[in-house]
Amino acid sequence: MALLMIILPPFFIFFTGYLGQKLIGFDIKSISMAALYLMSPFLAFRTFYTNELTMEYFYIFLFCVLLCFLLVLVVAVSSYFSHASKQQMSAMMLGGAFMNAGNYGAPVVLFAFGSAGFDHAVVMMVFQSFLMNTVGLFFASLGGEEGASIGDSFKRVIRMPVLHGAIVGVSLQLFSIKLPETFMEAFNMIANASIPTVMLVLGMQLAVITKKRVAYQFVSAITLIRMFISPALAVLIVSFMPIDTLLKNVLILLAAMPAAANTTMFAVQFGTEPDLVSFTTLVTTILSIVTIPLVLLYLGV
């Protein structure tokens, strides 16, 4: 029951966005643009500015890169054999390769492993956020409605303000530049608004889904990859790493998290099959109520 009390709150936020869209109706793309261009850069800045960089994080970074690479490879193979279009392949990448390590995964880790595990989860959230805002944005742009080329997609990634926020945060930390507390309070207010806005956008997008626009064979493939193949790959990767059991367990648990809510924002922004991405996020999030306890049981929690 305690675990369910950690998992269920995101559903309330999704439902709020869903209900608001049904009753009032919003311009979803404008709201997602505000989150992507105005709020997310401050979230990235705060994350990289406040989390101290140490050599201990090397293995977490390596894990994130290896897992992302392997998942992209698995999704690419799956999309090829399922004859997915470029937009559908990009949507599968968004749903299959990136997990909800922040507003979902971190609280579950805190409940399961305490503050020590939570510290590891925050570090992974930093690196996962970086990958999502580079690799994830690349695939979102590549599969956009405009049919952008690979070169155009890379240019869009470079222009994204969230990367600039991350670079500024790392730079200020490395040079030990301390910002006034009043400025940080303002930055925190904007950054704190980012995640709930993204989750509201997901709920809004779910409210406008029509069944005929969702390719269920792709939803099934992404769900299998995200909820089962991803944690299996995580077990394989950490078995070769000289890290302690706690960190291994945290990495495996986070790899088993459902699709990241941020991917819906990217899909809406670039027109990359947003219905498919948001519906996959919903399915994997609901399924996680069953799969996350099974992973915890496997880890001996």
Side-chain angles (χ1 to χ4, degrees):
M1 179 58 68
L3 181 59
L4 287 178
M5 294 305 296
I6 295 295
I7 296 176
L8 290 179
F11 287 94
F12 176 77
I13 302 178
F14 297 154
F15 179 72
T16 301
Y18 179 94
L19 191 63
Q21 186 64 29
K22 284 292 187 181
L23 297 179
I24 303 174
F26 296 94
D27 184 347
I28 301 176
K29 189 168 184 176
S30 294
I31 298 175
S32 76
M33 286 182 65
L36 189 62
Y37 287 93
L38 299 181
M39 304 175 194
S40 294
F42 287 93
L43 179 62
F45 168 80
R46 183 181 68 180
T47 301
F48 284 88
Y49 176 71
T50 59
N51 288 277
E52 184 180 357
L53 301 175
T54 67
M55 290 300 297
E56 181 188 16
Y57 300 158
F58 170 74
Y59 286 109
I60 303 179
F61 175 74
L62 180 61
F63 171 85
C64 291
V65 172
L66 288 175
L67 180 62
C68 183
F69 172 79
L70 291 174
L71 287 174
V72 166
L73 184 61
V74 171
V75 172
V77 173
S78 176
S79 63
Y80 174 79
F81 284 105
S82 59
H83 305 289
S85 65
K86 186 172 73 169
Q87 279 190 323
Q88 291 167 336
M89 180 274 293
S90 296
M92 292 177 69
M93 289 291 182
L94 293 176
F98 304 100
M99 75 288 295
N100 196 338
N103 54 307
Y104 193 152
V108 174
V109 168
L110 178 62
F111 171 79
F113 301 111
S115 58
F118 182 75
D119 291 340
H120 292 317
V122 170
V123 175
M124 180 171 173
M125 182 180 67
V126 172
F127 295 133
Q128 190 64 31
S129 175
F130 175 77
L131 289 174
M132 193 183 309
N133 287 289
T134 51
V135 180
L137 277 174
F138 168 74
F139 281 112
S141 176
L142 183 64
E145 293 175 342
E146 300 88 349
S149 66
I150 293 179
D152 292 337
S153 298
F154 273 119
K155 290 178 182 178
R156 283 181 174 179
V157 170
I158 294 173
R159 290 198 301 263
M160 290 308 297
V162 68
L163 290 183
H164 304 158
I167 293 172
V168 172
V170 170
S171 300
L172 293 183
Q173 182 184 147
L174 291 178
F175 288 101
S176 301
I177 299 176
K178 300 295 182 182
L179 294 178
E181 189 64 29
T182 52
F183 277 90
M184 283 306 301
E185 290 179 0
F187 293 166
N188 286 334
M189 291 179 66
I190 301 176
N192 291 337
S194 177
I195 291 178
T197 301
V198 167
M199 299 177 75
L200 287 173
V201 169
L202 172 60
M204 293 175 188
Q205 187 61 30
L206 293 174
V208 297
I209 286 180
T210 57
K211 292 183 179 180
K212 63 180 180 180
R213 295 173 61 190
V214 177
Y216 291 100
Q217 69 270 28
F218 300 125
V219 174
S220 300
I222 302 170
T223 300
L224 176 64
I225 294 170
R226 175 91 303 279
M227 307 308 296
F228 299 99
I229 295 179
S230 179
L233 290 174
V235 172
L236 177 64
I237 294 172
V238 300
S239 66
F240 292 100
M241 290 185 169
I243 55 180
D244 59 45
T245 301
L246 175 61
L247 181 52
K248 288 183 179 181
N249 289 343
V250 170
L251 296 178
I252 293 171
L253 180 58
L254 290 176
M257 289 296 149
N262 300 59
T263 57
T264 294
M265 179 178 63
F266 296 161
V268 171
Q269 176 62 34
F270 294 104
T272 311
E273 294 283 344
D275 288 343
L276 175 58
V277 176
S278 58
F279 190 74
T280 300
T281 303
L282 174 65
V283 171
T284 55
T285 301
I286 294 175
L287 186 61
S288 69
I289 299 177
V290 177
T291 59
I292 294 302
L294 291 178
V295 173
L296 291 171
L297 183 62
Y298 168 79
L299 297 176
V301 177

